[in-house]
Amino acid sequence: MTRHSGAPPQEVRLLGGQWKRSKLPVADRPGLRPTPSRVRETLFNWLGQDLSGWRGLDAFAGTGALGFEAASRGARELLMVEQEPALVAQLQAVRARLKAEAVRVQRGDGLAALRAAAGQGLDVVFLDPPFDASGLFEPALRAAREAVSAEGFVYLESPRPWTDAELAPLGLVLHRHGRAGAVAFHLLRPVAP
């Protein structure tokens, strides 16, 4: 069957770690766009291939590609938060299939989960909110800043690039960034107090 270009893939593969090449299903849902493989590859080259002992939060988990990739590379605690019940069920099924003990799947609001994580000193927070929810980006970035440690990372995908001038009031600074098609991706660090 021919698929239109621009149609979401029906599955994505994990790229590294203990579950390398494992497939994650991609539900046909409006606005669901899994992080492209080449973007994930770049991100995990930036973060490092071995995330042993890391603690993280994937606030808008969707397919779980970012969170499962981190857990596959040794993260010891990874909370995935997703609102859509069908996606939550899919994440739980993948977690069970992979026996991903480090992963916790929670149905709920990603922004609320970020706010609840304030002061936890996480190593990484993944932010890939729905692109049509433009009002979500700033509060999510602000809450992510409060959830990561001084040496932690915040990963952001958005429909446009963010600048240091926009990020500074939120307590963040660009560490690395790139673009892949319609996706701007950013690795951010907390501003030193």
Side-chain angles (χ1 to χ4, degrees):
M1 181 170 135
T2 309
R3 294 187 325 142
H4 301 292
S5 62
Q10 294 175 345
E11 62 186 25
V12 294
R13 288 180 190 268
L14 296 179
L15 302 171
Q18 64 178 327
W19 305 313
K20 183 177 183 175
R21 292 195 257 308
S22 294
K23 297 174 184 176
L24 304 180
V26 177
D28 187 9
R29 291 269 188 271
L32 182 65
R33 20 154 219 84
T35 301
S37 295
R38 71 175 195 211
V39 173
R40 278 185 290 124
E41 185 174 7
T42 299
L43 169 62
F44 286 94
N45 284 337
W46 291 346
L47 290 174
Q49 300 299 316
D50 182 1
L51 305 186
S52 292
W54 284 37
R55 295 169 48 244
L57 170 62
D58 188 350
F60 308 95
T63 63
L66 292 170
F68 284 119
E69 193 75 57
S72 182
R73 294 164 190 259
R76 81 176 151 97
E77 278 179 38
L78 207 299
L79 173 61
M80 291 187 190
V81 181
E82 175 54 53
Q83 251 182 330
E84 173 74 38
L87 295 177
V88 171
Q90 188 172 284
L91 290 169
Q92 289 169 331
V94 170
R95 178 191 178 276
R97 178 171 48 88
L98 296 176
K99 298 179 178 64
E101 299 301 319
V103 173
R104 219 170 82 234
V105 176
Q106 175 180 307
R107 180 173 177 213
D109 176 77
L111 187 55
L114 286 164
R115 289 178 172 147
Q120 287 188 12
L122 299 175
D123 298 293
V124 64
V125 170
F126 299 108
L127 300 178
D128 185 6
F131 279 10
D132 60 358
S134 58
L136 203 54
F137 285 87
E138 204 169 296
L141 284 164
R142 193 178 304 279
R145 165 59 188 98
E146 296 304 314
V148 295
S149 71
E151 300 81 36
F153 295 94
V154 175
Y155 173 74
L156 171 69
E157 277 185 38
S158 65
R160 66 168 181 84
W162 283 66
T163 65
D164 274 330
E166 293 173 291
L167 293 164
L170 306 175
L172 295 163
V173 64
L174 275 173
H175 179 63
R176 302 236 172 123
H177 59 95
R179 186 159 197 117
V183 176
F185 56 99
H186 315 72
L187 191 59
L188 313 172
R189 301 298 301 260
V191 174

